[in-house]
Amino acid sequence: MAAKDDPIIIKKYANRRLYNTGTSTYVTLEDLAEMVKKGEEFTVQDAKTGDDITHPVLTQIIFELENKDGQNMLPIPFLRQLIAFYGDQMQMIVPSFLEQSMIAFSKEQERFREQMKGAIGKSPLDMMKITTPIKALEEQTRRNMEMFQNAMRLFTPFPPAGSNGAAAAPAEPARKETTEKSDDLQELKDQIAAMQRKLDTMS
């Protein structure tokens, strides 16, 4: 029997029906979306093989939500950029970047919601104070983007080919630059790890 804090097991059958083993009832993707919003942990397993298929099911939920009128959250430029990263050397960094950004966003979101709850009936001066968490969120997003752009530069150490007749760069400076890029990459990884530790302590 699963422990109280263990994720709920959702079984997915060949007929695409989803079965919540915690409540012994069949559920829909909409039900799973509500569970996510309530913070309920669950994993989805293939009923026949026992394989963990949580990732594709969550992706399917996002697809369904994005196709509902007025609920689009993923802008087309973002989707294009995300698709372009698949198979790219930057793919290894994208998941960590997105995860840390969403964690930071969620933390600021809670503070913003609390201020909004207390803003009803407040004066215009008090309402202006609500912009504080928004600015903090914008600043966090800016820092994340700078870190991500630095990572992208680290993975493109070689400049575009020069004009016709341009002489090749000396080998030694090239090796030196590569070493510097490697040091920068390690520093970036250390920064990401430090950010994760900081967020963990805030949880």
Side-chain angles (χ1 to χ4, degrees):
M1 184 175 180
K4 183 178 179 181
D5 294 332
D6 285 348
I8 299 169
I9 302 297
I10 307 294
K11 299 276 189 180
K12 185 174 184 181
Y13 292 90
N15 59 4
R16 297 186 178 182
R17 296 194 72 182
L18 299 162
Y19 184 77
N20 185 329
T21 62
T23 59
S24 299
T25 58
Y26 285 98
V27 294
T28 64
L29 290 177
E30 289 79 7
D31 294 327
L32 295 187
E34 287 302 316
M35 290 174 67
V36 171
K37 293 176 182 179
K38 292 177 182 178
E40 298 179 23
E41 293 288 335
F42 63 83
T43 60
V44 186
Q45 295 179 356
D46 185 293
K48 183 177 181 180
T49 65
D51 292 341
D52 188 329
I53 55 173
T54 307
H55 186 279
V57 169
L58 291 178
T59 304
Q60 186 179 358
I61 291 174
I62 292 175
F63 176 79
E64 295 291 338
L65 292 173
E66 281 290 308
N67 278 281
K68 286 187 177 181
D69 292 336
Q71 288 201 174
N72 306 97
M73 285 200 304
L74 305 177
I76 291 178
F78 171 80
L79 292 173
R80 292 184 187 278
Q81 292 170 347
L82 192 60
I83 291 171
F85 281 128
Y86 282 94
D88 187 88
Q89 56 189 357
M90 287 301 301
Q91 184 174 342
M92 60 180 289
I93 291 181
V94 173
S96 178
F97 169 77
L98 294 178
E99 181 179 3
Q100 301 308 320
S101 296
M102 288 305 294
I103 290 174
F105 180 84
S106 296
K107 292 184 182 299
E108 291 298 332
Q109 168 190 266
E110 288 305 316
R111 187 171 7 153
F112 180 65
R113 282 180 174 173
E114 288 301 318
Q115 292 200 10
M116 284 297 290
K117 287 179 183 178
I120 300 176
K122 298 288 185 177
S123 67
L125 182 61
D126 290 329
M127 289 294 291
M128 289 176 64
K129 296 178 181 178
I130 296 178
T131 60
T132 302
I134 297 178
K135 290 179 179 178
L137 180 59
E138 290 175 347
E139 177 62 21
Q140 180 64 49
T141 302
R142 184 188 64 77
R143 289 196 298 269
N144 287 349
M145 285 304 300
E146 287 180 352
M147 182 178 69
F148 192 56
Q149 289 167 353
N150 288 336
M152 292 180 68
R153 283 194 290 270
L154 293 174
F155 279 86
T156 54
F158 302 107
S163 58
N164 293 335
E172 186 59 34
R175 284 196 296 270
K176 181 178 179 182
E177 181 178 352
T178 301
T179 301
E180 291 175 351
K181 293 293 184 182
S182 298
D183 293 341
D184 289 343
L185 177 58
Q186 184 57 50
E187 181 179 349
L188 176 64
K189 290 179 178 179
D190 293 341
Q191 290 176 358
I192 293 176
M195 181 185 295
Q196 178 64 65
R197 289 193 297 271
K198 182 176 180 181
L199 289 172
D200 289 342
T201 59
M202 294 171 63
S203 300

